[in-house]
Amino acid sequence: MINTHVKRGLWVCGLLATLGLGSALTGTVAQAATYTTVSSKTLTKTAYHKDSTKGALYSQGHTYKIANLKSYPNTTWYATQQATLKHGNSKGIYLYVSNKAGSVKGWVWHGYLAKGKALTGMTYAKGATAMDAKTGKIIWSRAGNTARPIASVSKIMTLYLTLQKIESGKGSWSDVVDTSSKGLIMMGNSASCGGFKFKTGHKYTVKQLYDAAFLASSNNAAIALGQWVAGSNGAFIRQMNAQAKTWGLKHAHFVSASGLENSDLRAFSYSYGSANANQVSPNDVATIARHLITDYPQVLTEGTIGSKTVDGQLCYNYNNLLKGRKYYQSSLKVDGLKTGYTPLAGYCFVGTGQKTGKHRLITVVLHDEDEFTETRTLMNYAYQSSSMND
């Protein structure tokens, strides 16, 4: 049982705010406060994990702090008791939890925890998220609202706007795209920035460039598509940002149709804006991907193509979660979506699949070192959530 009175003594600064019952204190010593136990009960041992950057475990009488939750980011906490405490006009629900070994235990406000075991095996990704594609609910995230460079993952927005123009009847797959720019030709021949070569005087269709941008992540193909969509590179980038605003994305800003940074694009006369790179948060990347696969589900079929020859050039899909690839796991049924890498952005990947009996899942890992292993770990973890069940 919890003491109904807290005696005068040492007090942790910010205790009331951490417990969710009042304003933060500004000192280490506080006046005695009365907490009334409204109700309490024993729980069947239930697993929880940290669901906030705040929170701490406290002693039974709440007179001293035992541990900050942020010090145990990958710990599964097991709750065995629950109590409702009243302080003034406020009530709070608390859980008595301990780690698996039982070496760390105490009382914590329930709002700082979420049901389910903690995710382990996500070591490298600086930003990540797992989204239920059906509902848009975020199942798990790390720095989910922190914008960071996303490299060629940016191309999912370019693909979306290309498909939007075609589906609206304002363009067709057979339209010939102007690829005569010296900068784009140079980019295609670049060892570090190239991918799909534009031959002088040769004609390329929207479909050819779409395949090159999607499968081979061709940067010059993506830029050429953007110019076809909006009339110029600058106009297309403004359209990217306008679309992000239409969707209510608060942590997304684009300066590049391809995902290359301006520090690279400058050599080809395709730099734009004052920022060096596209900056998008994991949650906003997942939202863009959700719109893409919801509005244009054909990308899921296209995303499973391992490689394709386009105008005599091999366009290889580097999604290594596809069938036949190194990180393939049959139960995950991965059918997309987009890889990305620059030294600044690190390895990035937005993946999607639909496990049997589950909702479709979208995952994003940004600035990773082991993007496919960590995506697979994240997918398997997210599918444990009851909200993902059909």
Side-chain angles (χ1 to χ4, degrees), residues 83-305:
T84 300
L85 296 182
K86 183 177 181 182
H87 173 60
N89 294 322
S90 299
K91 291 181 181 179
I93 298 174
Y94 299 86
L95 299 173
Y96 182 71
V97 300
S98 66
N99 62 359
K100 185 176 181 179
S103 58
V104 183
K105 46 194 171 183
W107 291 90
V108 61
W109 181 54
H110 80 288
Y112 293 133
L113 299 177
K115 281 188 177 181
K117 292 184 178 181
L119 172 60
T120 57
M122 289 291 291
T123 304
Y124 302 112
K126 292 185 178 180
T129 198
M131 174 188 281
D132 183 328
K134 183 175 182 179
T135 66
K137 178 182 178 182
I138 300 297
I139 306 301
W140 183 91
S141 70
R142 171 186 293 166
N145 289 320
T146 300
R148 62 177 64 254
I150 63 170
S152 284
V153 163
S154 307
K155 292 183 175 75
I156 62 174
M157 178 66 94
T158 300
L159 297 176
Y160 183 93
L161 295 174
T162 299
L163 287 162
Q164 186 182 68
K165 180 169 181 175
I166 291 171
E167 294 292 323
S168 70
K170 297 179 181 178
S172 72
W173 289 116
S174 60
D175 285 353
V176 174
V177 181
D178 183 1
T179 58
S180 62
S181 162
K182 290 183 179 180
L184 294 182
I185 294 171
M186 288 173 58
M187 192 181 299
N189 292 322
S190 167
S192 59
C193 300
F196 194 79
K197 298 184 184 298
F198 289 167
K199 303 170 187 174
T200 302
H202 197 73
K203 294 181 179 180
Y204 300 93
T205 66
V206 171
K207 186 62 169 69
Q208 288 174 321
L209 298 187
Y210 174 89
D211 287 341
F214 192 176
L215 300 179
S217 203
S218 168
N219 294 310
N220 56 344
I223 295 170
L225 280 175
Q227 293 180 147
W228 172 79
V229 170
S232 71
N233 182 54
F236 182 71
I237 293 168
R238 290 190 291 274
Q239 188 173 336
M240 296 173 81
N241 286 307
Q243 187 63 65
K245 186 176 181 180
T246 297
W247 287 333
L249 305 187
K250 296 181 180 179
H251 308 284
H253 181 70
F254 294 94
V255 295
S256 163
S258 65
L260 283 177
E261 288 99 29
N262 277 327
S263 52
D264 287 318
L265 290 167
R266 201 164 288 118
F268 309 106
S269 300
Y270 272 97
S271 61
Y272 179 88
S274 57
N276 184 43
N278 294 341
Q279 297 268 351
V280 189
S281 71
N283 290 351
D284 283 356
V285 169
T287 298
I288 298 169
R290 183 179 182 226
H291 282 286
L292 177 61
I293 65 180
T294 300
D295 294 349
Y296 307 111
Q298 61 264 40
V299 299
L300 298 175
T301 300
E302 295 164 344
T304 62
I305 298 172

Side-chain angles (χ1 to χ4, degrees), residues 322-341:
L322 295 177
K323 187 174 182 179
R325 301 292 177 81
K326 180 178 179 180
Y327 298 96
Y328 172 70
Q329 183 178 326
S330 60
S331 63
L332 294 176
K333 301 184 184 299
V334 172
D335 48 12
L337 191 60
K338 190 70 196 71
T339 59
Y341 172 79

Side-chain angles (χ1 to χ4, degrees), residues 298-324:
Q298 61 264 40
V299 299
L300 298 175
T301 300
E302 295 164 344
T304 62
I305 298 172
S307 62
K308 183 177 183 178
T309 300
V310 178
D311 192 51
Q313 301 182 55
L314 180 65
C315 293
Y316 184 83
N317 186 343
Y318 285 94
N319 179 356
N320 285 326
L321 286 172
L322 295 177
K323 187 174 182 179

Side-chain angles (χ1 to χ4, degrees), residues 331 333 354-360 383 386 388-390:
S331 63
K333 301 184 184 299
Q354 187 165 12
K355 199 171 184 177
T356 301
K358 302 286 188 177
H359 294 174
R360 173 167 289 279
Y383 276 128
S386 59
M388 291 293 292
N389 295 333
D390 268 337

